Structure formats: structure tokens, C-alpha cells
Amino acid sequence: MSAIERVYDQARAGALYAGPLIPGFQASAARMPVVSPIDNTTIGALVTGTAADVDAAVGAARACFESGEWSGMAPAERKRVLLDWVALIREHSEEIAALDCVDAGKPITECLHTDMPATLDAFAWYAEAVDKCFGRIAPTGGDALGLIVKEPIGVVGAVLPWNFPALMFAWKVAPALAAGNSVIVKPAELTSLSAYRLTLLAHQAGVPAGALTLVTGTGEDTGEPLGRHPDVDMVSFTGSTEVGRLFLKYSAESNLKEIVLECGGKSPQVVFEDADLDAAVGQMLSAAYWNMSENCSCGSRLIVQASIKDAVIERLKHGLAEWKVGLPTDPATRIGPMVEEPHFHKVRAFLEEAPAAGARLAHGGRIHAELGSGWYVEPTIFDGVTPAMRLFQEEVFGPILAVTSFETEDEAVALANDTQYGLAASLYTRDVGRAQRVSRRIKAGTVSVNGFSEGDITAPFGGYKLSGFGGRDKGMEAFDQYTQTKVIWYMNA
Ligand code: NAD
């Protein structure tokens, strides 16, 4: 039996599990069911942690940090342990992919061939970076020697969303741990299974139990105590802007811990009439619908030059024939269910409201009840969307593309920037000068030209405006943000 079949079997038996991994601590006994969005059945149990679990995790993390067992380990040795972890993750790749599939409803093909390779890249890249980061020497005369060194920050909380469970774990934990911190992971309560497995594998590889602890549970019961804990030095958060704001408040009202926020988006795809549409259509569809559009950088607004708008919509509709909606366990599926019932209802409200607000349904709009009791929404296109509409301004996190047309370059830029978010954008044109001008004028952390991309692990990722605060995931920027700078100044008498 393959690792994937084994996970599916355990899911059918309701036997999957995630709970805290805190050395020497008896976890809270309270459990909540893990419900799969595929068919709304219970596939396992999740320990709903409490403030006591968080406190125990912080105690273990602090003790480990101060002991130097991980924070003081020689970088080459830390790298070796992390690379052993990477090897174990690679070995268990199919199992972790299948856990994300049944837990989040993500298509298994995406989990196997997109999420897991990117997850492994992130872990391996930061492991390799550990012993290649040098400090600096200040430009003094002979009377002094100034060393500018990087040190780990201390106890770091990583609070994760549900849309890319294994990958977001990697984006946060890999650099924070590589930099020598003690990390406490708080996965989203909807998707904690892969985080549990990844943490077990870390311990198996030799990461000390106190250097990487896991606390499972709801945002209120575990996320807030972590955000407010006086002995946590930093929280790195990915999730909604609304909850991100709360972490700034928790910090302000506790110990001014550092906060990094990676939040929501409403990213534009700007298409000029000189674009190579044959090459662009597949990219536009991926931007709009990849991961059921439960994607922070989802290109959910198509801002297209009026002269080609109808042609572009026709091509998108044609291309959508290849986007099979169905059970995410079917390797041919590209659109699985929404992650949970309340989220499905939120997406459905957008479907129902948009025509009433004046938008025209150009494609889709159905709810796939015939696929069982899961929360399926058909990829949908609304035309004639204006900046005044909620569909233009708010993050849907479901497969609804809003189309708006423009006449001039200035108008295109104004529309692209006309939301409170600034996470990502893509633009399509054959004119290099225009690509340069427009990409500079769009207020977003990542602008991809003639394609949809967040860049690879070398490229920092994060948002402008309400999409982010205080730092970046990925790239050496992420490694640096989990360190602090110390100056050691020798006076030569
Ligand atoms: P969310 O804000 O509801 O939850 C994120 C995390 O915060 C979860 O672990 C949750 O348990 C915790 N949380 C919830 N309420 C809390 C509270 N009151 N106090 C403390 N912690 C709390 O977000 P989500 O629904 O899991 O994820 C979707 C959001 O994440 C979208 O807005 C998406 O754009 C964003 N996202 C951003 C990026 C990025 O890199 N910018 C990446 C992925 C997802």
C-alpha cells in the first residue's frame, strides 16, 4: 500500500491525529474533530490546546534557547541536523502531501508536485545557508576592533494559515530554526496534521525537542496567549489582515515582541492589448484559480484593456475546460472544495451579491452539490466589476475572478492600486518599456511580468499596505529577520 493510500485509509477510519509536541508536558485533554472538506466526514482528532500548553511550550523553548543546545550549536552542525530533517521529509513526501489533501481539500496532484517540492526547497535552502552567513567588521583605525554580529532572536512563535499547510510551515520555521532560534509553531486549527508530522520528523532528525515545539488549537485559545506571552521575543504570522492587526495589539499590550505579518491580498492581473495571449491564458488562469483561489497572491482582479476584454474572457472560458472540479484525491482534479463550511458560505455570498451589485456573470457560478457533501464552488468569472463593488475590494479566497476594463496605461495603474492591499500583481505586455514603467508604479511586494509567479525561494515575499508588515518570507531577508544585530567593540589601549 502506498503512503498516500495509507493516509486515505487512516482518514476513512477517523484515525489521523495532531496534538502538541512539548517536552515533558502533559497536553490538554480536550479534543476537537478534524473534519475533511472533501466529504464533511471526521478524519481524526486535534488537541485543542490552552494557554497552559502555550506557557509550557514557551518554558521549554526558553530553556532550550538559554542552554545553547541549538542556539549555540556550531553552524555546520546545525546545518547537518537540518539536512537530515530534509532527507526525512523527502522520504515522507507522499504522506505529507496526502495529509494536506485530506485536511485542506487541496488537489493531491498540487500537493505532490507543487507544494512538496517547494516545501523541500525551502527547508534545504535555509539549511544550506546556515554556515554561509558572515558577520562584518567595522571600518575602524588601529585603536579599535568593531565586530557586527548576527544572533538569533530567542523564542519565536510561528502562527500559520490553512491554505498551504506544509509550505507555510517551511517558509516560517526553516529560516527561524536555521538562524538558531527556538521556534513554537501554532498551525491553523483547520490544518494541523502535516505540521504535527513535520515536527515529529524534525525531532527524529535531531532537532532538540525544545528548539521546535508545536501547540495545536484555536486562535483564541493558543494564538492569543502566544501573541501576549511576555517571554516570546517575536511572532511571525501569516493569515488574515484582521488577525494580523490583533498581533500588533497583543505585542503592544505585552512585551513589544517583534511582529512580522504576511496578510491578505486582492492582486491585479493587468493585461495590455499587445500581450501574447496564447502564452498568457494558462498563466492568468493559474493566478486566478490555483489552490481554489485560496491563495494570498491570487490574481483575483483581471484589469484588461477594453479592446481585448471580450477576447480574453472567451479564452479564459475555453481554458477552464481543463480545470476539473472534483474530489481532490483524484489526480486529475484541479479544483477541490473550499476548506470548510463557513468559508464556503462566505464565498457563496460573493457569488450571490455580485449580480445584484451590477456585475455580469460571464462564466460558472454553480455550487457543485452533486460532488457530495463537500464545499465545492465552480470557477467563476464576473465582468463589469467596478472599484465600488465589494468583489473588487475584498479578498474572496474562492474561485471568483473580477474583470474590469481600462483604456489607458494610467487608468490601468490607478485601477491596479485601487485597493487597500498590495501583496502581488502580474502584468502582460510585449513592450519592455511599459513593463518597466508599470511594474515600478504598482504598489505590491511582487510584480511578475508575462506570467504568474511569487519567485522561487531566493526571492523575498511580502506585501505593501494592508498585505504585510515588518518583514518578508523567503530569501535571505527571511533569514535575517530571525536574527538581531549585536556590536562588540574592542578598545585597543
Ligand atoms: P486567519 O487570520 O483566520 O488565521 C491565521 C492564524 O491565526 C491561524 O493559525 C489562526 O488559528 C490564528 N488566529 C485566528 N484568530 C486568532 C486570534 N484572535 N488571536 C490569535 N491568533 C488567531 O487566516 P486563515 O483564514 O487561516 O488564512 C487565510 C488568510 O491568510 C488570507 O487572508 C490569506 O491572504 C492569508 N495568507 C497570506 C499569505 C502571505 O504570505 N501574505 C500566505 C498565505 C495566506
Side-chain angles (χ1 to χ4, degrees):
M1 184 188 279
S2 74
I4 297 176
E5 273 306 324
R6 222 172 16 252
V7 169
Y8 293 168
D9 261 15
Q10 288 170 329
R12 278 189 285 271
L16 296 169
Y17 171 81
L21 290 167
I22 306 167
F25 180 70
Q26 191 60 44
S28 143
R31 303 273 191 283
M32 63 195 261
V34 177
V35 176
S36 175
I38 297 175
D39 53 8
N40 216 15
T41 57
T42 295
I43 57 171
L46 174 74
V47 173
T48 50
T50 63
D53 296 70
V54 170
D55 200 46
V58 176
R62 174 61 61 196
C64 179
F65 187 76
E66 299 306 334
S67 76
E69 188 185 0
W70 182 251
S71 55
M73 191 181 271
E77 178 62 7
R78 209 187 294 144
K79 174 178 83 170
R80 193 192 57 70
V81 174
L82 291 173
L83 288 176
D84 285 351
W85 188 19
V86 174
L88 282 173
I89 299 169
R90 197 179 303 284
E91 217 177 280
H92 290 81
S93 237
E94 292 195 347
E95 178 194 352
I96 293 163
L99 287 172
D100 278 357
C101 171
V102 294
D103 210 8
K106 293 166 67 79
I108 186 66
T109 300
E110 289 290 337
C111 296
L112 283 170
H113 301 301
T114 306
D115 290 36
M116 283 316 294
T119 299
L120 281 160
D121 269 358
F123 280 115
W125 198 74
Y126 288 108
E128 287 290 357
V130 172
D131 59 354
K132 296 167 192 73
C133 295
F134 292 80
R136 289 180 296 152
I137 297 175
T140 60
D143 58 340
L145 172 64
L147 305 182
I148 303 164
V149 298
K150 293 283 188 184
E151 295 188 335
I153 288 178
V155 175
V156 173
V159 180
L160 307 180
W162 46 256
N163 56 346
F164 294 91
L167 184 59
M168 292 301 104
F169 182 108
W171 279 15
K172 301 280 189 213
V173 175
L177 208 52
N181 296 286
S182 287
V183 182
I184 300 169
V185 184
K186 205 306 269 173
E189 56 272 37
L190 292 177
T191 55
S192 299
L193 298 174
S194 59
Y196 179 74
R197 204 65 193 96
L198 287 164
T199 307
L200 280 175
L201 292 176
H203 296 163
Q204 195 179 323
V207 174
L212 181 62
T213 54
L214 180 82
V215 178
T216 56
T218 66
E220 289 74 15
D221 292 341
T222 53
E224 179 166 353
L226 193 60
R228 290 191 180 279
H229 202 290
D231 206 20
V232 171
D233 300 299
M234 174 180 182
V235 167
S236 182
F237 166 86
T238 294
S240 61
T241 297
E242 185 193 356
V243 176
R245 281 180 198 277
L246 292 178
F247 275 94
L248 293 177
K249 182 164 150 336
Y250 301 154
S251 168
E253 291 175 358
S254 58
N255 62 338
L256 288 186
K257 57 179 65 62
E258 277 187 51
I259 300 289
V260 171
L261 304 178
E262 298 295 350
C263 299
K266 189 74 195 176
S267 301
Q269 305 192 52
V270 182
V271 188
F272 290 94
E273 61 190 0
D274 67 340
D276 175 355
L277 292 184
D278 290 335
V281 166
Q283 295 288 314
M284 290 187 226
L285 288 169
S286 292
Y289 300 115
W290 175 48
N291 205 49
M292 291 71 74
S293 315
E294 291 171 339
N295 171 22
C296 55
S297 60
C298 167
S300 53
R301 291 183 297 138
L302 191 77
I303 296 175
V304 53
Q305 201 145 17
S307 54
I308 57 163
K309 187 199 70 176
D310 291 341
V312 169
I313 291 178
E314 278 316 304
R315 282 171 181 256
L316 293 175
K317 285 161 69 169
H318 186 70
L320 273 173
E322 285 172 23
W323 284 68
K324 180 173 186 234
V325 182
L327 294 175
T329 47
D330 174 355
T333 290
R334 295 187 75 180
I335 300 271
M338 301 281 85
V339 73
E340 60 162 350
E341 182 178 4
H343 185 58
F344 166 80
H345 289 304
K346 184 186 148 201
V347 175
R348 189 159 75 169
F350 278 98
L351 279 180
E352 289 167 0
E353 261 179 56
R360 187 180 66 78
L361 181 66
H363 184 79
R366 287 184 308 152
I367 290 157
H368 280 244
E370 66 268 24
L371 283 166
S373 53
W375 310 111
Y376 297 86
V377 176
E378 190 179 28
T380 297
I381 302 173
F382 278 108
D383 188 9
V385 177
T386 66
M389 295 180 195
R390 205 162 78 90
L391 188 57
F392 188 96
Q393 297 293 342
E394 292 184 22
E395 186 177 46
V396 179
F397 237 51
I400 307 178
L401 179 64
V403 180
T404 308
S405 61
F406 68 86
E407 300 286 348
T408 66
E409 188 177 304
D410 281 349
E411 204 187 332
V413 170
L415 285 166
N417 287 334
D418 190 10
T419 78
Q420 56 190 348
Y421 294 112
L423 188 57
S426 42
L427 66 98
Y428 296 86
T429 177
R430 286 187 167 102
D431 179 336
V432 177
R434 173 186 281 152
Q436 269 297 320
R437 280 191 308 275
V438 175
S439 54
R440 299 280 177 166
R441 292 176 70 194
I442 290 180
K443 294 184 170 58
T446 301
V447 180
S448 56
V449 180
N450 292 331
F452 165 61
S453 179
E454 296 172 355
D456 63 16
I457 188 62
T458 63
F461 182 74
Y464 288 16
K465 303 196 276 184
L466 293 195
S467 293
F469 174 91
R472 290 287 185 268
D473 283 329
K474 302 203 289 140
M476 285 313 285
E477 279 80 354
F479 189 93
D480 273 355
Q481 86 193 356
Y482 295 109
T483 65
Q484 54 194 337
T485 304
K486 177 178 278 178
V487 171
I488 304 170
W489 202 265
Y490 290 85
M491 308 292 293
N492 294 338

